[in-house]
Amino acid sequence: MANPLYDNLFGRHAGQTAPFLHLAEGAVVSYDAFLRLTARIAHALRGAGLAPGDRLAAQVEKSPEALAVYAACVQAGIVFLPLNTGYTGDELGYFVGDSGAKVLLCDGAKMGALQTVADQSGAILMTLNADGTGTLVDAAKDLPERFETAARGEDDLAAFLYTSGTTGRSKGAMLTQRNLLSNAEVLVESWRFTRDDVLLHALPIFHTHGLFVATNIILLAGGSMIFLPKFEQDRVIELLPRATSMMGVPTFYTRLLDDPRFTRDLVAHMRLFTSGSAPLLAETHVAFEERTGHRILERYGMTETNMNTSNPYEGARRAGTVGFPLPGVELKITDPQTGAEVPQGDIGIIEVRGPNVFAGYWNMPEKTAEELRANGFFITGDLGMIDDQGYVQIVGRNKDLIISGGYNIYPKEIELLLDEQPGVLESAVVGVPHPDFGETVVGFLVPQKGAVLDLDGIAGAAVKSLARFKHPRKLIVLEELPRNTMGKVQKNILRAEYSGLFASA
Ligand code: MCA
Ligand code: AMP
C-alpha cells in the first residue's frame, strides 16, 4: 500500500547494504540495518497502542535509534513530534498536553521528572537514551524486522513541529507528507545531491534544518551522513576530510573561521557548504571565501514552510541574500497594512505559497487564518525585498523574534515570566548582537515603586521554567521603558542602546 514519504525516503533502500550513517570510531549503519531497526520500532510503537494519525512526542538525544523513531513513525503513519532536548518539564507539559501525544519518549535520566508530565496528559512514558538503550528499544528487541507500511496519502500529517508564538503560546505546525517530500525533492535537485554525497551532520534532529533538510535530502539521494551527536569543533575539523558537504547555522561557520586548523587544504575537496536558520553576515560569507575558496550557499526557510529560497548551485551565490524562490515556490513581497504586492525593490512582508507550505496550526484555526491566507499564501513575518536581479534579501522581521545560534526565541514568553516575578512592574526582552550566537537575550526590568529587585532570584525563575537557550544572558533594571506616543515599547531603542553589550564576549 502507498505511503509516499516512507516509500521514497526509506522503503526504496530496503535490502541495500550501502552505508547510511557513519558513527564514531568507524562504525557504520547500513540502509538495510537501519530499516530493520525501523521496522522493529514501528512494531513496538504499534504494540504501545499508537495508531495512524496518533502523535508521538520525543525529547531524546541524537542517535541512530532516535532517527529510526522518526522513520518508524513515518512507516506506521504516526505523527512525529520532535522536541528540543533543552526544554524543561514545564515547557514539555504544554507540548504533550496540546498535541494530545499518546506516547512521550524521553531520556531515561529524565524519567522521574517527566512521569508527572506524561500522567497529566494521559500519555505513556517510554525511554530512549543517547546510547540507544531504553524501554522502547527493549520492547522492539525481538519483534519482526519487517513491518507492513501504513497506507498514507500526501495530505496526511507526518510531523508536528512546535514554533513559539508572539502571544507566548507555542503553535504546533502541522506538516504533511507532501510538504516534506516535495521540499526534499526540490533540494536534492537544486543542490545536486547524489548517492556519492557524505554529509557532515552536526545539527540537532529536532528541527526542520537537521531533520528534514539534511536527513530527508540524504535519504532521497541515497547518500550517507557522518552523524555527530552535536556540533563539536574538534570532531568537525577531524571529520571534514571525509565529507563532501556540510549544512550549518551561521554559528558553525563563525566558530570554524575562528579556528586556525580550519584551512583551505582541509576543505579543498568539499562540494558544498550551506547555511540557514539565521542571517549569515555578509562579512562571514566573504571571510569564508577568502579562507577556503568556497562560497557558502545561503538559503531561507521556516518551520511552517520548509525551504523557500536558495542561492543558486551554479551561478552567483550572493552574500547578504537568500537567493531565488525554489522551483514550485511562489514568493511575493506585500505591504504589511494592505497585503497588496509592492513594486520590485520595495521592502515588505515576504509571503510564500507552494507544496512546501504547512497545513495550519494544530487546534488553532484563528492563528492559522491570521497567517495563512485563504489563497494559500503564508505570511512569514519576515521583512524582505527582491532586488533588480531577482535575489531575495531579508532585511528584518515584522515579528518580535530573537534567533540565537539558530534557535528561535519569542520575547513574549520570557516577558510573561519576568512580569510575574516579585517586585517587577513590567519588562521588555530584546535580542542584541552576539559574536557567537548572532543574537542573544537581554531582559529589561522596571521595578514597582520602591521595590528592590532580586536579580538572582529572577534569573533562577527563568532557569526553572525555560530552556537554557532562552535565558536572558543579562538582566538590566531601568526606571522606565522607552515608549512612543502610542505607548508602545520601543524595543529598537533598547536594541540600539545596548548593541555593544556583548561586543567582545
Ligand atoms: C546552546 N546554548 C545556547 C545555544 N545553544 N544558548 C543560546 N543559543 C543557542 N543556540 C547554551 C548551552 O546550553 C550552554 O549553556 C551555553 O549556551 C554555551 O554552550 P555551547 O557549548 O557553546 O553551545 P553548543 O552546545 O556548542 O551549541 C551551540 C550550537 C547549537 C552548536 C550553535 O545551539 C546548535 O546546534 N544550533 C543549531 C540550531 C538549529 O539547528 N536550528 C535550526 C532550526 P551553559 O553555558 O549554561 O552550559 S530550523 C529553522 O530555523 C528553519 C526551518 C531553517 O531555516 O532552518
Ligand atoms: P523557525 O521558526 O525556527 O523555522 O525559523 C524561521 C525563521 O528563521 C525565519 O522566519 C527567518 O526569520 C529565519 N531564517 C531562516 N533562514 C534564514 C536566513 N538564511 N537568513 C535570515 N533569516 C533566516
Side-chain angles (χ1 to χ4, degrees):
M1 266 189 255
N3 178 325
L5 193 62
Y6 184 81
D7 299 344
N8 284 286
L9 295 187
F10 303 102
R12 59 205 279 256
H13 302 297
Q16 285 180 14
T17 52
F20 172 42
L21 303 175
H22 306 273
L23 308 174
E25 274 84 54
V28 172
V29 179
S30 69
Y31 272 102
D32 184 51
F34 182 78
L35 292 180
R36 284 187 282 117
L37 173 65
T38 296
R40 286 196 280 111
I41 293 179
H43 279 291
L45 296 178
R46 195 59 100 235
L50 286 166
D54 286 343
R55 273 80 59 204
L56 173 140
Q59 189 195 42
V60 291
E61 295 296 334
K62 188 175 171 184
S63 68
E65 290 76 11
L67 204 54
V69 173
Y70 161 54
C73 285
V74 177
Q75 187 168 24
I78 297 161
V79 179
F80 185 56
L81 196 170
L83 293 161
N84 193 318
T85 46
Y87 287 145
T88 62
D90 286 0
E91 290 168 316
L92 237 64
Y94 172 78
F95 299 125
V96 177
D98 185 69
S99 66
K102 274 201 177 162
V103 166
L104 169 59
L105 184 66
C106 72
D107 196 286
K110 292 188 178 169
M111 213 179 164
L114 294 183
Q115 187 65 58
T116 332
V117 168
D119 291 347
Q120 275 166 355
S121 350
I124 301 167
L125 192 66
M126 299 181 93
T127 64
L128 176 61
N129 306 316
D131 63 3
T133 60
T135 60
L136 173 62
V137 177
D138 288 347
K141 200 154 85 57
D142 297 320
L143 298 178
E145 297 195 323
R146 288 180 67 85
F147 180 89
E148 180 152 353
T149 303
R152 302 303 272 170
E154 291 208 320
D155 290 323
D156 282 324
L157 298 181
F160 275 13
L161 259 62
Y162 273 82
T163 76
S164 306
T166 42
T167 56
R169 264 191 83 201
S170 286
K171 303 167 287 184
M174 300 188 288
L175 295 156
T176 65
Q177 288 218 346
R178 176 183 289 108
N179 296 151
L180 303 184
L181 186 56
S182 67
N183 214 234
E185 285 169 349
V186 160
L187 294 174
V188 165
E189 185 70 24
S190 301
W191 296 346
R192 311 282 192 270
F193 271 86
T194 71
R195 65 177 55 191
D196 295 329
D197 266 292
V198 181
L199 179 81
L200 184 53
H201 192 302
L203 289 158
I205 54 168
F206 43 71
H207 277 312
T208 296
H209 198 165
L211 186 61
F212 301 140
V213 182
T215 306
N216 286 358
I217 283 185
I218 285 299
L219 283 162
L220 198 61
S224 61
M225 306 193 272
I226 301 173
F227 204 58
L228 296 182
K230 59 176 284 201
F231 182 87
E232 216 187 302
Q233 185 100 337
D234 289 348
R235 298 286 286 145
V236 170
I237 301 268
E238 178 194 330
L239 292 166
L240 269 169
R242 288 173 42 197
T244 61
S245 44
M246 175 170 157
M247 296 180 188
V249 296
T251 301
F252 286 15
Y253 296 118
T254 51
R255 287 186 180 184
L256 286 172
L257 284 170
D258 272 344
D259 194 319
R261 297 171 297 172
F262 185 67
T263 61
R264 185 173 283 254
D265 281 353
L266 187 80
V267 294
H269 66 288
M270 288 286 282
R271 182 179 75 74
L272 181 66
F273 290 94
T274 69
S275 178
S277 310
L280 182 75
L281 294 180
E283 67 197 54
T284 309
H285 191 280
V286 170
F288 198 90
E289 185 178 15
E290 279 171 3
R291 175 84 67 89
T292 65
H294 290 285
R295 291 178 79 85
I296 296 174
L297 185 153
E298 186 172 7
R299 79 345 173 246
Y300 157 61
M302 284 186 79
T303 300
E304 289 91 335
T305 63
N306 299 282
M307 298 304 101
N308 294 316
T309 73
S310 172
N311 267 281
Y313 188 81
E314 277 137 19
R317 298 175 193 170
R318 290 197 19 215
T321 81
V322 291
F324 307 109
L326 285 162
V329 178
E330 293 171 77
L331 183 147
K332 61 182 182 177
I333 310 288
T334 59
D335 183 298
Q337 262 75 49
T338 64
E341 198 164 350
V342 301
Q344 188 160 355
D346 283 8
I347 291 172
I349 306 269
I350 301 177
E351 296 192 22
V352 292
R353 177 166 72 180
N356 54 316
V357 173
F358 76 142
Y361 296 114
W362 171 250
N363 273 347
M364 289 190 181
E366 313 78 33
K367 282 275 157 214
T368 304
E370 271 171 33
E371 296 179 36
L372 192 56
R373 294 187 191 280
N375 65 8
F377 271 95
F378 177 66
I379 306 167
T380 64
D382 290 310
L383 290 171
M385 61 102 119
I386 303 176
D387 72 16
D388 53 3
Q389 290 170 57
Y391 285 78
V392 177
Q393 287 180 26
I394 299 176
V395 299
R397 296 174 202 138
N398 195 37
K399 49 190 173 189
D400 197 9
L401 164 70
I402 300 168
I403 305 183
S404 166
Y407 289 149
N408 283 13
I409 300 163
Y410 277 82
K412 188 75 189 170
E413 187 185 1
I414 306 169
E415 287 162 0
L416 288 173
L417 181 110
L418 295 179
D419 290 347
E420 277 176 8
Q421 301 312 307
V424 174
L425 178 66
E426 58 175 353
S427 66
V429 166
V430 304
V432 301
H434 188 276
D436 187 30
F437 291 133
E439 284 181 292
T440 199
V441 181
V442 176
F444 294 92
L445 303 163
V446 178
Q448 287 161 358
K449 207 165 180 329
V452 177
L453 297 181
D454 168 13
L455 293 185
D456 289 343
I458 294 174
V463 169
K464 187 186 155 287
S465 300
L466 302 172
R468 173 76 185 112
F469 66 90
K470 299 178 190 170
H471 298 172
R473 290 302 200 253
K474 197 152 182 79
L475 288 171
I476 295 174
V477 179
L478 296 178
E479 268 174 30
E480 58 181 9
L481 298 173
R483 292 182 186 277
N484 65 14
T485 47
M486 311 289 287
K488 192 170 182 290
V489 177
Q490 290 174 298
K491 291 195 170 181
N492 53 330
I493 293 184
L494 292 172
R495 259 191 298 270
E497 205 165 310
Y498 291 87
S499 64
L501 211 52
F502 294 93
S504 57

